[in-house]
Amino acid sequence: MENDPPEDADARGTIDLVGHVIVPARELDPLLTPVSNVIVTAKTSTGAWIEAISRLIGPARARFRSTYFQWAMAINGLHLAADRYAQKDFNANKQFIITGIRYDNAANKHTKVNLAEWGGEKAASAHRATIPKMAAWGYIEMFAVLEKFVFEMYREFLGYQPETIIDGPDFAALRRLRREAENDKVKQEEWEKAWAARLDAWHRKRLYDSLHKVFRAFFAVSGLREPKRFTKTTVDSWAETIEGIALVRHLLVHGEDTVPEPLERFCGKPHNLGFNFKAGSPLRVDLVHLQSVETFCHELLNALNESLVEHPDAMK
């Protein structure tokens, strides 16, 4: 039906509103076709991980932008609804109704009831008061999308470099199975199952680490660096920005109402995303903060793409 949610939306309701198109370089006119990222094709297994991660950038960019779009539309919709309910014709003749479910003793079942019946002025005020909630939860989801991408590219890398997390005596059997799988299809299936379990266990454990530490670890183990032309930001400054984004998210998730000193210190850094939180003041997030996070994610993908192109394994 027309009002049903899209079938391809994820568990949080995020759907790709942007999309991306892969254009072969031979068909590309750089003067006519804007390019947001380059897929670094590989000739051998050496450069395969570079290609795989570069292929993640387009979908990730669409996911970042689509998530922001949805929350921006939700906030815009609240503004429009508040304006509509404040109009005289609605306020004089209609009621805004919120329904819910309650148990009906007489009917011996749960039934739909009206939990609120508001006039236009009350409805308009309530819609405006809900805007900060949308901004806060939009911010939380923007971080979740960033977290998903960092682990997505790290996992992709590990898929091509599994020895990175199967070193040491605890994984001797797993390393042996990997060697045996190179010439045995039965062992190959066994290896793939065992590797998937190991990778998932690694992922679950690393989720307890701060995301900026996971981000730094990925760059360290992969050998990726900031692009050569960069002079103002580095991998460390990107990680510090992720740490600042994560701090705000942590405060929102745990219901903190006041800006702590660590957040003010982050705001004093050159790479503070334009945040200007002051210690001791009320913690408030609005659409501008979502815009700042989306911009950072967009620019991070640009930098990552250049870093991939410059890596010694690129195009090998």
Side-chain angles (χ1 to χ4, degrees):
M1 295 180 64
E2 183 178 350
N3 293 325
D4 288 343
E7 293 183 358
D8 53 347
D10 68 12
R12 289 190 293 261
T14 302
I15 185 171
D16 187 352
L17 299 175
V18 179
H20 69 285
V21 177
I22 298 176
V23 181
R26 60 182 176 274
E27 301 176 12
L28 179 64
D29 184 342
L31 297 178
L32 300 176
T33 308
V35 177
S36 56
N37 69 280
V38 175
I39 294 175
V40 189
T41 55
K43 297 177 181 177
T44 69
S45 58
T46 299
W49 71 272
I50 294 282
E51 177 176 343
I53 294 178
S54 67
R55 288 185 179 276
L56 297 176
I57 295 177
R61 196 186 303 276
R63 193 160 60 241
F64 286 136
R65 194 169 298 175
S66 295
T67 301
Y68 166 69
F69 282 3
Q70 287 187 289
W71 287 104
M73 288 189 295
I75 291 170
N76 181 64
L78 287 169
H79 281 292
L80 292 176
D83 291 344
R84 173 67 185 99
Y85 298 136
Q87 292 177 6
K88 290 183 179 180
D89 65 319
F90 187 96
N91 200 43
N93 304 311
K94 300 179 181 179
Q95 291 280 304
F96 177 82
I97 297 174
I98 299 176
T99 62
I101 296 175
R102 292 291 185 270
Y103 188 77
D104 186 330
N105 289 317
N108 194 31
K109 63 179 182 180
H110 284 89
T111 60
K112 184 179 289 187
V113 298
N114 292 346
L115 297 179
E117 297 181 28
W118 295 336
E121 290 183 1
K122 172 66 174 176
S125 176
H127 277 73
R128 292 192 184 95
T130 303
I131 291 171
K133 177 179 285 292
M134 292 297 99
W137 284 103
Y139 187 101
I140 290 168
E141 190 182 5
M142 289 293 293
F143 176 82
V145 175
L146 176 59
E147 181 181 60
K148 178 178 179 178
F149 173 68
V150 170
F151 275 99
E152 189 176 46
M153 65 177 178
Y154 206 154
R155 286 176 64 105
E156 196 70 49
F157 171 80
L158 292 174
Y160 289 92
Q161 308 284 347
E163 64 277 1
T164 306
I165 59 170
I166 59 172
D167 192 18
D170 291 343
F171 303 104
L174 195 55
R175 293 196 300 275
R176 182 172 60 253
L177 179 60
R178 184 190 178 201
R179 291 192 299 270
E180 294 171 348
E182 293 177 359
N183 301 307
D184 186 332
K185 289 185 177 181
V186 175
K187 292 291 185 178
Q188 177 66 29
E189 293 180 5
E190 188 178 345
W191 154 252
E192 289 175 357
K193 183 178 180 179
W195 167 247
R198 168 60 185 141
L199 186 59
D200 288 344
W202 169 88
H203 191 155
R204 286 192 296 271
K205 184 176 181 180
R206 293 308 300 262
L207 280 171
Y208 290 97
D209 294 336
S210 299
L211 185 61
H212 69 283
K213 293 181 180 178
V214 177
F215 179 84
R216 274 197 179 101
F218 166 70
F219 270 79
V221 75
S222 67
L224 289 167
R225 298 177 55 84
E226 61 274 0
K228 295 176 183 177
R229 68 181 181 87
F230 278 36
T231 59
K232 295 182 179 179
T233 66
T234 65
V235 173
D236 283 340
S237 68
W238 304 343
E240 286 184 353
T241 301
I242 291 173
E243 185 178 12
I245 294 172
L247 177 55
V248 176
R249 175 261 183 192
H250 176 83
L251 296 169
L252 293 172
V253 166
H254 292 281
E256 298 293 338
D257 294 321
T258 305
V259 175
E261 290 185 2
L263 181 52
E264 181 177 337
R265 287 198 297 272
F266 167 72
C267 294
K269 297 179 181 294
H271 39 277
N272 60 11
L273 297 180
F275 290 1
N276 60 353
F277 296 104
K278 301 296 182 183
S281 64
L283 178 65
R284 297 291 183 270
V285 170
D286 57 32
L287 183 63
V288 172
H289 296 98
L290 272 67
Q291 292 171 336
S292 296
V293 173
E294 191 278 331
T295 299
F296 170 74
C297 293
H298 171 74
E299 294 177 350
L300 179 64
L301 292 179
N302 291 343
L304 173 63
N305 198 182
E306 285 192 50
S307 181
L308 289 166
V309 171
E310 294 178 2
H311 193 281
D313 290 347
M315 295 179 284
K316 287 185 177 180

